[in-house]
Amino acid sequence: MSGRPLVPILRLENIDEQIQGYLAEIEQTGGSIGTLRGPPLFSALKRQHLGIGPYPKVSLFEAANRIMTDLVLLYGVRWLLRERVFGFSEYRVEFGHGNQAPFDLIAEENGQRLIGEAFNVARSFFQGKKTSMLKKLRTQGIGATYTVILCNADAVHDEYVPAKEASEYHISVDVGSGDARMAPHRVRSREKSLHRR
């Protein structure tokens, strides 16, 4: 990151500051295309390094993909922390498609473990991306107490209800408002009782 880097551990005490700092950093992203039109514009979008923002060494197209997924993570984790959905006090996150951690989102506390993947896609790509992420979580996350998919809210219809396995949750995040919605709507009571032990 060119400015202040995001911290990998998010808590109630630092989440708002991280979001505000990130929004400030991406404010000027896109200025590099200026008045470009036609082939020069498309070339700049796909090939020219930005030189600014959280991902200065990638094109605007690639930066947009990473930034939008980062926003799903940031706002999704803020919602999880504020709502105390699973009862974890902190979440370890990996931003920018780094592939250094096994999952985009990990929380571990009181013998419980949450793993998650995040993405931001067009509605037409949602099913394919969701299938890929669920396969990864189900094969590499065996033994996790909770499995979470975080995605952009506009990738699914409001009435969308995913087919799921036990302890799997889908969280749709509105990166404009910061609101989120989870399906199923509640953590099963048996899981909550396990978490309280």
Side-chain angles (χ1 to χ4, degrees):
M1 303 231 171
S2 64
R4 188 183 58 179
L6 288 164
V7 297
I9 305 291
L10 297 175
R11 302 178 182 92
L12 270 175
E13 300 80 23
N14 69 3
I15 187 67
D16 288 329
E17 178 186 352
Q18 291 297 301
I19 290 172
Q20 292 310 312
Y22 195 76
L23 292 175
E25 187 167 9
I26 64 174
E27 186 68 30
Q28 299 304 313
T29 303
S32 61
I33 60 171
T35 59
L36 296 176
R37 300 289 181 267
L41 169 64
F42 305 133
S43 179
L45 287 172
K46 296 284 282 183
R47 306 282 181 261
Q48 180 180 325
H49 288 186
L50 288 173
I52 63 166
Y55 302 105
K57 296 181 180 181
V58 301
S59 69
L60 181 58
F61 182 82
E62 180 58 28
N65 287 333
R66 294 181 188 193
I67 288 167
M68 294 303 286
T69 298
D70 288 350
L71 291 173
V72 166
L73 268 171
L74 284 164
Y75 285 118
V77 169
R78 183 174 74 176
W79 184 80
L80 288 170
L81 287 165
R82 286 182 173 176
E83 299 296 320
R84 294 202 47 81
V85 177
F86 300 105
F88 295 102
S89 61
E90 65 182 34
Y91 291 85
R92 189 167 63 245
V93 295
E94 180 170 64
F95 296 104
H97 309 286
N99 294 323
Q100 301 299 312
F103 305 103
D104 294 337
L105 186 65
I106 299 173
E108 297 175 298
E109 203 169 315
N110 298 325
Q112 306 293 298
R113 185 169 196 249
L114 177 145
I115 58 169
E117 288 292 314
F119 57 88
N120 190 312
V121 294
R123 190 169 284 182
S124 58
F125 292 114
F126 174 74
Q127 286 299 333
K129 189 68 170 179
K130 180 190 81 168
T131 299
S132 172
M133 294 296 98
L134 283 174
K135 181 179 180 183
K136 175 183 177 181
L137 290 164
R138 289 171 180 168
T139 57
Q140 298 178 26
I142 295 170
T145 313
Y146 308 108
T147 300
V148 176
I149 291 277
L150 294 105
C151 72
N152 51 306
D154 58 351
V156 295
H157 297 287
D158 289 341
E159 60 277 355
Y160 171 74
V161 178
K164 62 175 235 38
E165 293 185 3
S167 303
E168 280 182 3
Y169 297 88
H170 296 241
I171 300 170
S172 302
V173 181
D174 183 325
V175 297
S177 69
D179 293 335
R181 150 178 95 81
M182 185 170 81
H185 297 294
R186 299 200 182 281
V187 177
R188 294 187 333 206
S189 58
R190 180 177 139 332
E191 292 170 338
K192 279 193 168 181
S193 68
L194 283 172
H195 187 70
R196 289 192 188 107
R197 288 183 189 170

